[in-house]
Amino acid sequence: MWLNILFLACSSKPQDSASNFTADPRPWQSAPLVSLSSGECPNMSVSGETVSFLSSGESRNVTVVIPSSPQADMRVVFFYHGLMDPGYTPNPTGYMSTALNFQALADEYNALIFLPESRVWSMAGMQFFMWDIEEGTSENDLTLFDDLRTCAAQAFEVDLDALVSVGFSGGSLFNTVLYSQRSDSLAAVVEMSGGADVNIPLYDNPFAPYDTPSHSPPLLLISGGEADLWPDASFTLVNFETATDVLQANVLEDGGFAVRCKHNSGHTITNKAFEVSLSWMTEHRFGDPSPYENDIGTWSDWCEIP
């Protein structure tokens, strides 16, 4: 259950030939597969394990959650964690997978779930897990997404037109980069406390820069009101409410579709946020109109179509 988490911000195919990339047979409308950057996929034989593999020539970690009884045409879900302290949480993706009970989600929705792990940043004597979201630095993290998408298609009977990306906090900010740079691979996106074009002191370039995407996947934007801040109100580096406003304005200006929800509970994921996120990530397909374009139903008590 997603309970007030503060800034964490089919049958399978053989998996022993991941490096033997073959031509994309194009069973999907979304983007063609790309060759693996380092010629290998993670071991995806045991659900819930955090495993290492090479991407862009460096070791990267990912937790992979597989349905207990996989069926054909599995949807694919990426979940991007927020900033976390490696001293307290050395395995952020394994922690998130267990805390949010992703195995139950995988089983109920026939979903293959990837929880990639970011690099560890060092700054001002501190270390923390964080995505490379400063403008001009995101290429390896984008390639990690590409590699895992290709690995999903090589190892399982997946439906890449039902691929969605979800994130919270820093993970949502990376979703803005994905939305801008990999929109042709995304059926839909969920950002909980995210945004775009965030200016951070001591950094020359904006974080989570928005670029007009080549395709406009439906975007669910959830923010926490005036208290959706990091690290806190006394020393605010990121105002996620304002950053989400910026992203929303850019998406609408480019003709994209978004639904905006505000829970006003600060920098957290509420149960209600989980419920609408789950609906969003399981009810969209690449190239199809969003089922929420004309009616958000019971969400209208706290969400709107801007």
Side-chain angles (χ1 to χ4, degrees), residues 35-276:
S35 299
L36 297 172
S37 64
S38 298
E40 68 177 62
C41 286
N43 184 329
M44 296 185 283
S45 60
V46 179
S47 183
E49 281 199 344
T50 302
V51 293
S52 300
F53 75 112
L54 289 180
S55 177
S56 297
E58 64 178 326
S59 181
R60 300 299 298 261
N61 296 332
V62 59
T63 299
V64 184
V65 183
I66 308 162
S68 300
S69 300
Q71 306 298 313
D73 296 327
M74 279 191 289
R75 66 180 63 252
V76 181
V77 176
F78 281 75
F79 179 86
Y80 288 91
H81 64 76
L83 183 150
M84 300 179 77
D85 183 345
Y88 288 96
T89 313
N91 181 3
T93 60
Y95 170 80
M96 293 300 301
S97 175
T98 300
L100 302 181
N101 198 11
F102 274 140
Q103 186 63 60
L105 189 154
D107 292 343
E108 182 174 356
Y109 294 99
N110 191 37
L112 174 65
I113 305 175
F114 288 124
L115 295 92
E117 180 184 294
S118 74
R119 291 192 184 91
V120 175
W121 284 27
S122 296
M123 184 175 65
M126 300 182 295
Q127 288 193 323
F128 45 86
F129 288 105
M130 184 58 190
W131 299 97
D132 289 333
I133 55 174
E134 184 184 9
E135 185 175 27
T137 68
S138 302
E139 193 57 38
N140 284 359
D141 284 343
L142 289 168
T143 298
L144 178 62
F145 169 83
D146 295 336
D147 284 344
L148 290 172
R149 181 174 179 265
T150 293
C151 289
Q154 290 191 355
F156 298 98
E157 293 186 27
V158 295
D159 179 2
L160 290 187
D161 283 346
L163 185 154
V164 300
S165 186
V166 184
F168 173 60
S169 193
S172 281
L173 294 178
F174 181 68
N175 267 346
T176 296
V177 179
L178 276 178
Y179 181 91
S180 297
Q181 304 300 329
R182 295 295 188 270
S183 62
D184 57 357
S185 297
L186 301 170
V189 175
V190 177
E191 292 203 12
M192 293 173 280
S193 295
D197 298 329
V198 179
N199 292 309
I200 303 290
L202 304 180
Y203 287 88
D204 295 331
N205 301 312
F207 281 27
Y210 176 87
D211 290 318
T212 299
S214 61
H215 168 75
S216 297
L219 183 60
L220 177 63
L221 299 173
I222 302 174
S223 58
E226 294 181 358
D228 198 349
L229 309 170
W230 182 81
D232 54 44
S234 63
F235 179 64
T236 300
L237 293 177
V238 183
N239 183 322
F240 287 95
E241 185 74 19
T242 300
T244 304
D245 290 342
V246 171
L247 176 56
Q248 175 180 307
N250 281 322
V251 169
L252 297 183
E253 182 177 353
D254 282 338
F257 174 70
V259 168
R260 178 68 178 273
C261 303
K262 299 182 182 182
H263 54 69
N264 295 317
S265 296
H267 197 62
T268 184
I269 302 172
T270 65
N271 289 337
K272 187 178 287 190
F274 165 74
E275 292 169 1
V276 299

